[in-house]
Amino acid sequence: MAQLPVPGRAGPDASLTDGAAYTIDPLPAEPRAALRTLVDAGHEAVLVGGCVRDLITGRGATDWDIATSAAPEAVSELFPGSVWENRFGTVTLKGTPLVEITSYRTESGYRDRRRPDAVAFGASLTGDLGRRDFTINAIAWRPDDLATGRGTLADPHGGIEDLRRGVVRAVGDPDERFDEDALRLLRAVRFSLRFGFAMDPATEGALVRAVPATATLSGERVRDELLRLLEDESIAPSVAFARWEELGLLSVLLPELSALRGVAQGKRLPGDALDHSVRTADALPADDAVLRLAGLLHDLGKATTLADGQFIGHERVGAEAAEGVMRRLRFSERDVERVTALVRAHMFRYEPSWTDAAVRRFIVRVGLDRLDDLFALRAADNAASDVEEPAAGGIAELRARMAEQREAPLGTRQLAVDGHDLQRELGLAPGPRIGQVLASLMETVLDDPSRNERETLLAVARRALAADDAGLQEPDG
Ligand code: ATP
Ligand code: MG
């Protein structure tokens, strides 16, 4: 009996229970081959976690997690092409779809609430399912016939029933589970929002009790979880962070954002600066989680800059605050730069009176590769404020004017002279002076692109150097 994904199905078929037959059709070649390799070598191997959960609810699976009785060393030997093995013994196979293989394990404690103190392998499937976070993630599929995709479900914790009821419930004692790993609090919220599931009351009670422990989570783990939340297209950031706030997570993990609660602002839409921030994130695409984060953080500066009804300089203060958040959460340098540049630039105000030179300077100041981001952020900021760009004199006009400048030189590499020319023609020694002269020539050319000619620029440079020398001879001038 083929179990093809049924769009819109509310939950798993009533016939599905612990021990029921379940056919995965089609079972893609990659997980099928990996399972076969393990089974042929005499090991037990099952599919587990997200893929089983998503298959039996008709969502379809993209990533495939395999749990096996084989020890990590045995797994590595069986898959010489494996690219990556982490310290928890998970082997990730090359290629797509993603296939990850993890040895059955039981974990012996998480004293620092960050990661297991020790991982013991060689346990059974039952032990392995028992250390997973939520019942809906603790369902396994054991292959009976890999050729046809026939197999059997193992569901000792009632995950299938919880999928049917629409409940996120911890495996076993919820206080213990959250105490072992505080990241599970964030995962619980994310799964409940993604699937529109309620939180089991005992699980939610334990979650609230464990909130202070999330302060001890490593920045990297919070970052990854935050990104998974932001990139989930079925979760609106406004809903997610309202839930974080309600549960007490927001003030522990993102206090800078909590500080925007109650900061009134004169926007047409009701709400404070926090409401505005999450709405801005809502209006940005989930497939660019870092851009969504920029939307979320773009007004952090409003928490401290309000004076006389205005938030003077909040974009600068906000860029610093955003940087603080992102460094704490160990975001990459690239992401930090991207977000802080956007926050710093987000208040730009185009006027039709801008000269072409002003348009060119704007492009250079923002950076060619950040303009699309900045306009996307502006559009989201507008949407979250119920403001419309003016038909004339708005962003569309700025974009049209920027397009006209496409041919104009905007960087020193496009200048008609380079550092070698300056050394050769003006006798400048290699050193920082060269960069300074090129930068001043760039200013000349931004003002007037027609001056981007070798002889003209050399003359400009000569005059500038002569003026400098004259200045040097008259120190008190
Ligand atoms: P997603 O669709 O978001 O990938 P997933 O269920 O596949 O959801 P993963 O983070 O990929 O989630 O983890 C795979 C499985 O590993 C989970 O289904 C769960 O069984 C287990 N797991 C992951 N993280 C934890 C954790 N912190 N504590 C306990 N079990 C976990
Ligand atoms: Mg997964």
Side-chain angles (χ1 to χ4, degrees):
M1 172 190 55
Q3 307 273 344
L4 289 169
V6 180
R9 187 162 72 183
D13 200 289
S15 67
L16 297 182
T17 51
D18 185 25
Y22 185 80
T23 297
I24 300 178
D25 181 17
L27 176 60
E30 295 79 3
R32 183 197 302 264
L35 287 164
R36 190 184 301 285
T37 300
L38 288 160
V39 170
D40 285 354
H43 304 291
E44 194 174 273
V46 301
L47 290 173
V48 69
C51 58
V52 180
R53 177 196 68 215
D54 293 343
L55 282 171
I56 64 178
T57 47
R59 285 181 186 85
T62 48
D63 300 344
W64 301 84
D65 286 320
I66 293 174
T68 179
S69 59
E73 307 75 50
V75 176
S76 298
E77 268 170 41
L78 284 171
F79 298 93
S82 63
V83 269
W84 197 65
E85 187 178 337
N86 71 14
R87 50 180 287 246
F88 307 125
T90 298
V91 171
T92 305
L93 302 189
K94 258 186 218 148
T96 34
L98 190 68
V99 177
E100 292 192 335
I101 306 173
T102 308
S103 303
Y104 290 160
R105 53 195 165 165
T106 51
E107 272 145 36
S108 55
Y110 296 74
R111 255 174 323 204
D112 65 356
R113 292 201 182 83
R114 287 164 184 241
R115 45 183 67 96
D117 294 339
V119 180
F121 297 103
S124 66
L125 173 61
T126 312
D128 183 88
L129 294 178
R131 58 118 216 139
R132 290 177 183 268
D133 48 8
F134 306 108
T135 61
I136 58 173
N137 292 343
I139 308 165
W141 177 84
R142 196 194 304 263
D144 294 323
D145 178 11
L146 280 167
T148 58
R150 276 193 302 107
T152 307
L153 295 171
D155 178 29
H157 301 286
I160 298 173
E161 180 57 21
D162 284 341
L163 281 174
R164 220 173 268 133
R165 294 191 305 148
V167 174
V168 173
R169 186 164 61 90
V171 169
D173 181 79
D175 285 297
E176 275 173 29
R177 305 332 303 279
F178 288 130
D179 209 39
E180 283 165 358
D181 181 6
L183 195 75
R184 292 174 183 160
L185 281 77
L186 308 185
R187 290 173 57 85
V189 175
R190 178 162 57 86
F191 289 121
S192 84
L193 295 175
R194 185 201 294 172
F195 301 130
F197 283 11
M199 200 119 40
D200 170 74
T203 296
E204 180 158 338
L207 188 158
V208 170
R209 283 189 288 280
V211 164
T214 57
T216 65
L217 283 167
S218 72
E220 290 86 343
R221 293 188 81 204
V222 176
R223 173 199 64 207
D224 289 347
E225 189 52 42
L226 184 63
L227 288 173
R228 289 177 88 169
L229 192 63
L230 291 170
E231 73 197 10
D232 196 319
E233 64 213 359
S234 58
I235 301 178
S238 57
V239 175
F241 294 107
R243 194 76 176 112
W244 274 36
E245 189 181 29
E246 180 182 45
L247 293 167
L249 292 164
L250 194 66
S251 58
V252 175
L253 295 171
L254 294 172
E256 299 86 347
L257 205 56
S258 285
L260 296 178
R261 178 56 81 216
V263 176
Q265 44 173 22
K267 303 255 187 205
R268 261 177 46 190
L269 284 181
D272 56 26
L274 178 55
D275 296 318
H276 170 69
S277 297
V278 295
R279 279 199 295 255
T280 305
D282 282 356
L284 287 161
D287 65 5
D288 191 344
V290 174
L291 186 58
R292 260 197 168 174
L293 183 67
L296 188 67
L297 303 182
H298 81 284
D299 269 349
L300 285 188
K302 285 186 174 170
T304 51
T305 52
L306 181 62
D308 300 329
Q310 290 198 298
F311 299 99
I312 304 294
H314 82 266
E315 64 275 29
R316 275 193 315 281
V317 175
E320 277 170 33
E323 175 168 2
V325 171
M326 292 182 76
R327 296 236 180 263
R328 184 172 72 238
L329 301 184
R330 303 275 187 271
F331 274 87
S332 68
E333 202 58 43
R334 198 162 148 256
D335 288 344
V336 173
E337 268 168 32
R338 182 174 177 212
V339 170
T340 54
L342 287 171
V343 174
R344 208 174 296 113
H346 86 270
M347 289 298 286
F348 78 92
R349 187 164 299 284
Y350 169 69
E351 304 281 350
S353 62
W354 281 13
T355 60
D356 287 344
V359 172
R360 290 189 290 272
R361 286 181 193 286
F362 172 78
I363 299 172
V364 170
R365 186 157 42 81
V366 175
L368 212 45
D369 50 348
R370 297 219 193 286
L371 288 164
D372 285 341
D373 282 356
L374 185 63
F375 293 136
L377 177 59
R378 169 58 59 90
D381 196 355
N382 285 344
S385 314
D386 195 21
V387 165
E388 266 173 43
E389 281 295 322
I395 301 296
E397 182 177 305
L398 173 57
R399 293 193 102 144
R401 291 193 60 194
M402 283 175 16
E404 289 167 12
Q405 301 303 321
R406 202 171 302 147
E407 304 297 317
L410 297 169
T412 50
R413 270 192 310 233
Q414 291 160 281
L415 289 175
V417 295
D418 63 13
H420 296 295
D421 296 324
L422 296 181
Q423 290 177 39
R424 218 175 307 117
E425 303 290 329
L426 307 180
L428 272 179
R433 193 74 188 98
I434 304 236
Q436 291 159 10
V437 173
L438 286 174
S440 88
L441 294 179
M442 192 67 236
E443 292 301 312
T444 303
V445 171
L446 282 172
D447 276 334
D448 181 358
S450 74
R451 303 186 76 185
N452 192 25
E453 285 179 348
R454 186 181 155 85
E455 288 314 318
T456 310
L457 293 185
L458 287 175
V460 171
R462 265 187 212 104
R463 270 201 303 280
L465 289 171
D468 276 2
D469 288 347
L472 284 176
Q473 279 152 21
E474 300 169 53
D476 301 316

